[in-house]
């Protein structure tokens, strides 16, 4: 029998959904729940290992269907599949259905004997009954179209009157569907003019049969008569109901209790991001372009305008996702990757385009009408997490409007530290906040599961959300305070309150300082092996605070971001200032400048690239850079000038041949000769290395090592090239893991070649920041690991607990394993 797994951020929610599904199926379907995390202080979250255990507990070769709420639940479920044995992975299916309704529909269909595809189809369509019942609440909320089996003229029929007081609500409908699945006969049920498939929980629910309604059951097939006899028995049994409230209905959830001694000047909201903030109030008004509805003559032109704006907005979001990933983390960046999917959703774009075509409406008005309709659909969902997604829809909608409406004001900035107040804050707005100037966030609306709250936590900005309309009447510039752990906002706190709050704030800040100070301790294994831990950055501004985060250097300065979002390439002086700013922030720590890496997924508006069928295998990285010597020399001059006063290293990307290294070094020597002739200082001993990110560099590692000072492995590209699997393609996502044995053998080959040549090896791909990989990487012989700043403290702590001899044994054993799943399972033990 097919197994079912419920994954939620909340253990109580997961268990509640499982319990309800078990009641509907009389405990005949194997169902497991995986909710929350094992942290009493912060129990909300998801754990991939817990999900894996749940899958294994109900595993069947018939399949396992996993339903999840959003965000990290999806990522945890995907990771859990990677942890499974290879032969198990193809039998586990992630289903995007609504969690509660989808689980019930899936469970009933499993009991009825449906196959995996039918189970998942039923789960996906599970909202249809609610949509039909709430018809009119949202004009765009229409149930999915289903086709019932045709009536059989020669079939058996049974006409009944619905006896139970609550009609065919969820559980009676489930009993009917389960019964229908026990027979080969095709069974339909008709109410009025509507006929539905009795094996479909969604269609039976959608039928909306009430007490006293007349239903006609029709069956055709060899056991049609027996099927109708069984239906008659079920009807005579009142569809299994004891009239009254449905069995097992959970009591209404209690509202959270609020302490009785809350002072009058305190507003109680929802705690969203831990910490105490005291400062002056600064109101932020949502910047919404004015929308004027007008009739247009050329609908095609408006569709083109909308398509152009959508493309530009998606490009924006790619940049925001990249910046958020570097500044906060991959989970938070995933929010903006999800925003891209919203903009590509035909349910949204098709509605807008149809409005343009049929109503001859301008793109702005048609677009915003579609956006509001979709946001309403989310608002009408009972699940609080899904309701919060309406804010995401509106956020991406405004982003497109800004491209459709030129001349909008630039992003907001603050000239002095403040506490930001707003009706609500979009994820895009939150992502651009500077924790140095935004001491805290208070919003009238929103919830702790909103993406703005998630990003605020990632930025370390204390936040209270959902505090009500009272927030908006706080005077601009007023002295206020907030406690992001309790959800309290103080309006004009008195002297005693300020004293207490300052004490609490100082205590909290001291705890944060201790965490940062601990992260600044060197990463030395228990037996004395020193591993340098550095940070990846894309702009000089990101270097601020790296020392406090524990970075001992910058292991990767992605210089391409200096070239993006501008009309022309940065000048030598502009680059020199950027590199100098980053180096100063590291106080003598090394800064590895990667030369311009463009092409593939990194286009630049003022650089023309020829069309390529596969740009990732095309004219990119060092291949482009070497053929544009003016641009290359400008960058080299800036880097060399910076090296005169700072610890600068240079690194070339996408290297595959020794010839590329020789040409790049020759270009560098030319630049150094020019600088010398101009009496401009530079470091003649500046280290030069290469990115190892293509298989050719791995195979030629021993040869290349004799011509460079270091290697730095980019596991993101290296993995996809070794596995011949695009990391952006979900169909091959399971292959794109740096734990794949082929990738691990490549890493060992690189470190061995480097050691033999007397040079050091670093890693700047995402694998470097994965604590699961830390001991393995030490054992493989890496001397430096560079990652996004938020990961540094944990990775350094892991290194301090590693014995390098044991780590080498672990690496040796890992190289004998047969799959990425086996490697990760072994490392997790």
């Amino acid at each position: 029998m097919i197994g079912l797994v419920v994954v939620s951020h909340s253990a109580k929610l997961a268990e509640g959904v499982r319990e309800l599904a078990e009641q509907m199926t009389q405990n005949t379907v194997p169902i497991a729940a995986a909710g929350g995390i094992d942290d009493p202080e912060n129990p909300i979250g998801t754990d991939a290992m817990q999900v894996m255990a749940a899958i294994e507990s109900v595993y069947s070769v018939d399949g396992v269907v996993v339903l999840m709420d959003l965000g990290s639940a999806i990522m945890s479920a995907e990771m859990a599949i990677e942890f499974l044995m290879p032969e198990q992975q193809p039998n586990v299916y992630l289903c995007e259905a609504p969690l509660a309704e989808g689980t019930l529909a899936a469970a009933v269909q499993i009991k009825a004997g449906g196959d995996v595809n039918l189970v998942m189809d039923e789960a996906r369509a599970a909202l249809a009954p609610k949509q039909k019942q709430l018809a009119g609440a949202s004009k765009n909320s229409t149930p999915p179209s289903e086709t019932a089996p045709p009536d059989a003229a020669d079939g058996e029929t049974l006409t009944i009157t619905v006896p139970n007081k609550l009609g065919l609500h969820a559980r009676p409908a489930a009993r009917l569907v389960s019964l229908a699945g026990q027979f080969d006969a095709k069974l339909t049920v008709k109410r009025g003019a509507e006929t539905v498939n009795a094996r479909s929980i969604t269609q039976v629910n959608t039928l909306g049969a009430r007490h006293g309604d007349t239903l006609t059951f029709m069956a055709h097939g060899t056991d049609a008569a027996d099927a109708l006899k069984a239906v008659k028995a079920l009807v005579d049994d009142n569809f299994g109901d004891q009239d009254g409230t449905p069995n097992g209905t959970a009591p209404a959830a209690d509202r959270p209790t609020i302490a009785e001694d809350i002072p009058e000047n305190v507003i109680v909201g929802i705690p969203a991001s831990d910490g105490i903030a005291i400062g002056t109030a600064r109101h932020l008004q949502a910047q919404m372009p004015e929308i004027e509805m007008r009739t247009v003559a050329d609908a095609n032109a408006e569709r083109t305008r909308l398509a152009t704006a959508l493309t530009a907005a998606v490009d924006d979001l790619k940049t925001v996702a990249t910046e958020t990933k570097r500044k906060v983390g991959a989970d938070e960046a995933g929010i903006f990757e999800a925003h891209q999917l919203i903009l590509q959703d035909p349910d949204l774009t098709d509605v807008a385009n149809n409005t343009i075509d049929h109503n001859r409406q301008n793109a702005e008005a048609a677009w915003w009408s579609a956006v509001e309709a979709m946001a309403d659909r989310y608002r009408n969902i009972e699940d609080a997490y899904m309701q919060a997604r309406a804010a995401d829809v509106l956020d991406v909608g405004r982003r497109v409007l800004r491209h459709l409406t030129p001349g909008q004001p630039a992003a907001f900035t603050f000239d002095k530290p403040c506490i930001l107040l707003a009706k609500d804050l979009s994820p895009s707005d939150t992502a651009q906040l500077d924790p140095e100037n935004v001491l805290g966030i208070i919003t009238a609306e929103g919830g702790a599961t909103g993406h703005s709250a998630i990003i605020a936590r990632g930025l370390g900005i204390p936040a209270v959300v959902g505090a009500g309309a009272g927030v908006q009447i706080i005077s601009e510039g007023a002295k206020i305070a907030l406690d992001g752990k309790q959800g309290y906002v103080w309006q004009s706190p008195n002297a005693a309150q300020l004293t207490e709050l300052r004490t609490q704030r100082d205590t909290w800040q001291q705890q944060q300082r201790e965490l940062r100070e601990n992260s600044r301790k060197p990463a030395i294994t228990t037996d004395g092996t020193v591993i340098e831990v550095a940070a990846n950055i894309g702009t000089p501004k990101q270097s601020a605070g790296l020392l406090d985060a524990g970075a001992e250097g910058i292991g990767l300065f992605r210089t391409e971001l200096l070239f993006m979002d501008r009309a022309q390439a940065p000048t030598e002086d502009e680059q020199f200032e950027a590199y100098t700013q980053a180096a100063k922030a590291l106080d003598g720590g090394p800064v590895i400048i990667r030369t311009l890496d463009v092409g593939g997924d990194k286009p630049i508006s003022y650089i023309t690239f020829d069309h390529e069928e596969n740009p990732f295998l095309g004219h990119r990285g060092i291949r482009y850079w070497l053929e544009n010597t003016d641009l290359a020399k400008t960058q080299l001059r800036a880097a060399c000038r910076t090296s005169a006063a700072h610890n600068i290293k240079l690194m070339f990307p996408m290297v595959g041949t020794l010839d590329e290294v020789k040409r790049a070094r020759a270009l560098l020597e030319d630049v150094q000769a020019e600088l010398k002739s101009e009496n401009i200082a530079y470091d003649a001993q500046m280290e030069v290395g290469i990115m190892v990110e293509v298989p050719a560099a791995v195979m030629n590692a021993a040869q290349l090592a004799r011509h460079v000072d270091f290697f730095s492995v980019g596991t993101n590209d290296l993995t996809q090239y070794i596995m011949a699997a695009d990391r952006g393609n979900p169909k091959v996502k399971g292959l794109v893991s740096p734990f794949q044995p082929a990738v691990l053998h490549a890493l060992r080959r690189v470190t061995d070649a480097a050691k033999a040549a007397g040079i050091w090896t670093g890693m700047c791909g995402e694998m470097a920041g994965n604590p699961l990989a830390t001991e393995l990487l030490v054992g493989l012989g890496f001397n430096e690991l560079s990652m996004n700043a938020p990961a540094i403290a944990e990775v350094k702590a892991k290194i301090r607990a590693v014995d390098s001899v044991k780590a080498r044994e672990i690496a040796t054993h890992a190289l004998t394993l047969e799959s990425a799943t086996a490697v990760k399972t072994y490392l997790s033990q």
Side-chain angles (χ1 to χ4, degrees):
M1 180 179 282
I2 295 169
L4 193 58
V5 174
V6 183
V7 182
S8 171
H9 285 68
S10 165
K12 292 181 179 178
L13 176 58
E15 284 295 333
V17 172
R18 180 190 61 80
E19 180 182 5
L20 184 57
E22 286 181 341
Q23 287 186 6
M24 291 185 66
T25 56
Q26 294 83 49
N27 295 303
T28 57
V29 174
I31 307 174
I37 57 176
D38 189 16
D39 182 351
E41 297 294 323
N42 300 284
I44 300 299
T46 56
D47 181 347
M49 299 308 294
Q50 186 184 136
V51 177
M52 181 187 73
I55 293 172
E56 289 182 330
S57 71
V58 298
Y59 180 79
S60 166
V61 292
D62 294 332
V64 177
V65 175
V66 183
L67 292 98
M68 310 136 290
D69 50 22
L70 299 185
S72 65
I74 297 174
M75 289 181 283
S76 293
E78 291 173 333
M79 187 178 297
I81 293 177
E82 293 182 6
F83 289 153
L84 294 171
M85 298 300 291
E87 61 270 20
Q88 293 178 316
Q89 294 178 18
N91 296 325
V92 182
Y93 303 83
L94 303 186
C95 184
E96 72 280 12
L99 186 67
E101 296 91 340
T103 300
L104 303 185
V108 172
Q109 193 54 239
I110 291 171
K111 183 180 179 183
D115 61 19
V116 165
N117 290 329
L118 184 56
V119 168
M120 293 178 70
D121 286 345
E122 284 294 295
R124 293 182 183 113
L127 281 180
K130 188 183 296 181
Q131 290 171 325
K132 183 171 182 179
Q133 185 175 349
L134 297 177
S138 173
K139 61 184 179 182
N140 287 81
S141 183
T142 57
S145 175
E146 298 279 0
T147 302
D151 295 353
D154 57 349
E156 305 276 347
T157 63
L158 169 69
T159 300
I160 62 100
T161 299
V162 177
N164 52 328
K165 291 183 179 179
L166 293 176
L168 290 188
H169 62 81
R171 262 173 291 282
R175 295 180 189 118
L176 174 60
V177 172
S178 295
L179 182 147
Q182 297 173 21
F183 296 90
D184 292 330
K186 291 184 178 180
L187 185 65
T188 62
V189 55
K190 182 177 182 180
R191 174 178 174 265
E194 187 173 3
T195 300
V196 301
N197 184 348
R199 292 190 179 189
S200 169
I201 185 65
T202 299
Q203 294 184 42
V204 173
N205 277 333
T206 305
L207 195 61
R210 307 289 183 180
H211 172 70
D213 283 352
T214 298
L215 302 180
T216 299
F217 290 89
M218 295 161 281
H220 62 97
T222 55
D223 55 358
D226 291 337
L228 291 181
K229 286 180 182 178
V231 171
K232 180 66 166 60
L234 180 62
V235 173
D236 290 344
D237 190 37
N238 211 42
F239 279 104
D241 262 6
Q242 297 176 359
D243 281 333
T245 57
N247 296 330
T249 300
D254 293 334
R255 293 183 178 275
T257 56
I258 299 174
E260 296 179 358
D261 57 348
I262 298 296
E264 291 184 358
N265 66 335
V266 170
I267 297 173
V268 179
I270 300 170
S273 181
D274 202 358
I276 303 286
I278 303 170
T280 56
R282 173 75 182 271
H283 284 273
L284 175 70
Q285 301 299 327
Q287 298 176 344
M288 175 68 180
E290 291 188 10
I291 303 171
E292 177 185 353
M293 184 184 296
R294 63 182 188 276
T295 302
V296 297
D298 189 346
N300 286 334
E302 292 303 297
R303 287 171 62 107
T304 299
R305 288 183 60 227
L306 179 57
T308 301
L310 285 165
T311 299
V314 169
D315 289 342
D316 287 349
L317 288 167
K318 289 178 180 177
T319 301
V320 174
T322 300
E323 286 294 303
T324 303
K325 186 174 183 178
R326 291 168 188 155
K327 186 165 61 172
V328 184
D331 286 352
E332 292 79 5
I335 291 168
F336 299 105
E337 293 166 358
H339 279 198
Q340 296 172 45
L341 296 178
I342 294 174
L343 291 183
Q344 295 161 349
D345 186 345
D347 276 0
L348 182 60
T349 55
D350 287 355
V351 168
N353 283 323
N354 287 339
T355 301
I356 292 172
D357 288 340
H358 297 152
N359 299 343
R360 285 296 189 266
Q361 203 172 96
N362 59 310
E364 296 91 332
W367 169 251
W368 193 248
S369 174
V371 167
E372 286 190 315
M374 178 169 275
D376 283 343
R377 289 166 64 180
Y378 279 98
R379 294 188 186 105
N380 289 330
I381 297 173
E382 291 183 0
D383 179 71
Y385 184 90
M386 295 302 295
Q387 288 174 354
R389 302 290 71 77
D392 296 281
V393 174
L394 294 173
D395 188 14
V396 298
R398 284 190 288 267
R399 184 178 291 278
V400 174
L401 275 184
R402 285 194 286 271
H403 285 285
L404 286 169
T405 314
Q408 295 304 312
F412 52 84
T413 56
F414 306 97
D415 53 2
K416 59 183 179 180
C418 64
I419 293 178
L420 188 63
L421 292 87
K423 180 180 179 182
D424 203 356
L425 205 58
S426 73
S428 298
D429 289 341
T430 310
Q432 63 180 295
L433 297 180
D434 182 355
E436 293 296 319
N437 284 329
V438 179
L439 305 176
I441 299 170
I442 305 169
T443 65
E445 300 176 357
T449 60
H451 284 156
S452 296
I454 293 170
I455 294 171
R457 289 193 287 272
L459 290 168
I461 301 177
V464 175
V465 299
V471 166
Q472 295 177 276
I473 61 174
I474 294 175
S475 300
E476 182 83 5
K479 188 83 167 184
I480 59 174
L482 69 89
D483 181 341
K485 187 172 185 178
Q486 296 188 82
Y488 293 172
V489 176
W490 283 263
Q491 308 173 79
S492 303
N494 59 41
Q497 288 172 333
L498 279 174
T499 299
E500 175 63 22
L501 285 168
R502 286 185 179 120
T503 300
Q504 293 178 19
R505 180 193 61 187
D506 293 346
T507 300
W508 176 71
Q509 290 179 340
Q510 177 60 29
Q511 292 171 343
Q512 302 305 305
R513 280 193 295 272
E514 288 175 357
L515 287 174
R516 288 194 295 269
E517 288 169 3
N518 193 50
S519 72
R520 297 189 67 169
K521 294 178 181 178
I524 304 175
T525 65
T526 57
D527 54 342
T529 300
V530 178
I531 307 295
E532 183 177 297
V533 180
N536 299 336
I537 69 167
T539 66
K541 185 177 180 181
Q542 293 172 0
S543 63
L546 288 183
L547 288 178
D548 285 340
E552 297 160 0
I554 293 173
L556 173 61
F557 191 150
R558 300 179 176 95
T559 60
E560 56 270 14
L561 288 183
L562 301 177
F563 290 73
M564 293 179 178
D565 299 323
R566 51 186 298 147
Q568 57 188 13
T571 65
E572 178 183 326
D573 286 343
E574 286 176 323
Q575 293 186 61
F576 170 73
E577 291 298 327
Y579 305 150
T580 300
Q581 181 182 343
K584 285 181 177 178
L586 268 296
D587 194 25
V591 176
I592 300 179
I593 296 173
R594 182 176 71 184
T595 58
L596 181 63
D597 184 13
V598 292
D601 59 345
K602 302 169 186 174
I604 294 179
S605 61
Y606 52 85
I607 295 178
T608 301
F609 294 94
D610 294 333
H611 173 72
E612 296 179 286
E613 290 299 326
N614 192 337
F616 283 95
L617 301 180
H619 199 220
R620 60 171 298 201
I622 197 170
R623 302 167 184 175
Y624 172 87
W625 188 82
L626 284 172
E627 293 185 11
N628 291 269
T629 53
D630 289 344
L631 183 149
K633 282 189 172 183
T634 299
Q635 184 170 38
L636 289 175
R637 284 178 63 93
C640 288
R641 286 172 56 193
T642 311
S643 72
H646 302 284
N647 187 359
I648 300 296
K649 305 177 192 295
L650 198 66
M651 180 164 66
F652 303 119
M654 199 68 185
V655 170
T657 69
L658 180 58
D659 177 66
E660 290 168 339
V661 175
K662 289 181 175 180
R663 289 171 60 195
R665 296 206 73 143
L667 200 58
L668 174 62
E669 290 169 4
D670 288 346
V671 166
Q672 291 173 331
E674 289 176 4
L675 293 173
K676 185 175 182 180
S677 68
E678 298 169 22
N679 293 319
I680 297 175
Y682 63 91
D683 178 13
Q685 304 303 315
M686 178 177 62
E687 290 189 19
V688 177
I690 63 169
M691 288 276 287
V692 177
E693 52 188 338
V694 299
V698 174
M699 302 307 295
N700 291 336
Q703 183 185 60
L704 293 169
R706 296 194 293 270
H707 295 268
V708 297
D709 300 303
F710 66 90
F711 288 151
S712 185
V713 180
T715 52
N716 302 354
D717 270 341
L718 180 62
T719 299
Q720 74 168 347
Y721 287 140
I722 286 179
M723 301 307 299
D726 179 2
R727 65 177 186 261
N729 184 341
K731 292 184 178 180
V732 295
K733 188 174 182 180
L735 293 172
V736 191
S737 168
F739 295 98
Q740 289 283 359
V743 179
L744 298 187
H745 283 283
L747 298 182
R748 167 54 62 84
R749 186 184 183 101
V750 171
T751 55
D752 284 351
K755 185 177 180 180
I759 66 173
W760 60 270
T761 308
M763 177 181 286
C764 55
E766 287 189 33
M767 188 182 193
N770 185 345
L772 183 64
T774 302
E775 192 168 18
L776 172 65
L777 297 178
V778 172
L780 286 172
F782 282 87
N783 311 103
E784 180 249 28
L785 301 174
S786 188
M787 63 206 67
N788 294 325
I792 290 174
E794 185 175 1
V795 169
K796 292 182 83 171
K798 290 279 288 188
I799 291 171
R800 295 188 198 107
V802 168
D803 176 276
S804 61
V805 175
K806 182 182 177 183
R808 285 193 291 273
E809 294 173 355
I810 288 173
T812 299
H813 181 71
L815 290 168
T816 68
L817 300 176
E818 297 180 353
S819 69
T821 300
V823 172
K824 287 185 285 188
T825 300
Y826 170 63
L827 296 176
S828 301
Q829 294 173 349

